[in-house]
Amino acid sequence: MIPNMEPFTRSVDLLSGAIAADAVVEDRRVADLHGYYLDDSGAEPDRIIYRVYAVPVPEANSELQCSTTVIEPGRIGREYHMTKGHFHAHRDRSEVYLGLAGEGLLILATEDGRHRVEPIRPGSLSYVPGGWAHRSVNLGDEPLAFFAVYVGDAGHDYATVAEHGFPVRVIVGDDGAPLVKQHPGHRR
Ligand code: S6P
Ligand code: ZN
């Protein structure tokens, strides 16, 4: 069956990551990520950590969701600003990230405890296979922006990550440089 979609074009600002016109904009603030960071007690609850611009597309297996994410620079305690991270609710659905601006990392993890760390930078193309949870982290002094395209009905499973976390955390080391550190509490 051919889906009932009309062709369309949208503009993405490659420097800021913003998508114009009818994108659905969602902000994630410190308060929305309570429990994800080791210690957020010193951070103002209203501070925006990241913003997602999503082009409205039906959540169907035949479609492709398109969005940008812009993570503000900064840290909460020793941890760099990061997204919540999620598995896709339909575990086998994959995704592609294209870096637009800034410098950061994409942390990937499987449910049996494997993990990978990939760079995000302008022009980086990262493939997120089905079954890999994914979280992005801003390491720089500027906003980190990337474009994502993923299978329309992928959905988001946040609960598994909220409960178990990722096998590694990205913190600032004593020398001021980023450090990818094992998260001892993580299940194997
Ligand atoms: C969706 C895709 C991204 C994230 C966004 C925010 O599958 O991976 O658009 O939703 O980067 O991250 P999170 O973990 O809060 O959804
Ligand atoms: Zn995803």
Side-chain angles (χ1 to χ4, degrees):
M1 197 187 94
I2 300 191
N4 185 27
M5 283 286 287
E6 294 290 325
F8 65 81
T9 299
R10 294 290 179 273
S11 288
V12 179
D13 183 325
L14 296 182
L15 294 180
S16 72
I19 301 181
D22 60 349
V24 177
V25 180
E26 205 173 329
D27 289 333
R28 301 277 202 204
R29 298 168 189 272
V30 168
D32 300 319
L33 275 90
H34 183 63
Y36 284 85
Y37 289 86
L38 287 169
D39 178 10
D40 65 3
S41 55
E44 324 82 78
D46 279 349
R47 190 165 105 209
I48 293 178
I49 300 180
Y50 59 101
R51 172 170 287 182
V52 178
Y53 298 85
V55 178
V57 169
E59 293 183 6
N61 182 240
S62 52
E63 306 302 337
L64 295 171
Q65 303 290 341
C66 307
S67 68
T68 54
T69 301
V70 183
I71 309 178
E72 294 301 320
R75 290 195 295 263
I76 294 186
R78 299 189 74 160
E79 287 178 284
Y80 291 87
H81 278 185
M82 62 182 183
T83 59
K84 286 183 171 183
H86 58 272
F87 286 94
H88 289 154
H90 284 108
R91 284 290 192 275
D92 63 349
R93 305 303 198 248
S94 53
E95 178 157 10
V96 165
Y97 277 16
L98 177 67
L100 302 178
E103 299 288 335
L105 295 176
L106 172 61
I107 312 291
L108 301 119
T110 60
E111 288 195 83
D112 59 6
R114 296 166 62 209
H115 79 273
R116 290 280 295 272
V117 181
E118 302 288 336
I120 305 178
R121 53 178 177 246
S124 63
L125 188 153
S126 304
Y127 190 80
V128 180
W132 288 79
H134 37 291
R135 162 179 284 166
S136 31
V137 184
N138 186 351
L139 299 183
D141 299 327
E142 304 293 330
L144 173 70
F146 58 89
F147 173 75
V149 59
Y150 54 104
V151 182
D153 67 348
H156 296 84
D157 167 12
Y158 291 106
T160 305
V161 166
E163 187 179 353
H164 297 287
F166 274 67
V168 293
R169 289 181 178 275
V170 188
I171 63 168
V172 62
D174 292 336
D175 60 356
L179 192 62
V180 178
K181 204 165 181 288
Q182 295 289 329
H183 178 204
H186 191 266
R187 66 172 176 191
R188 286 284 123 205

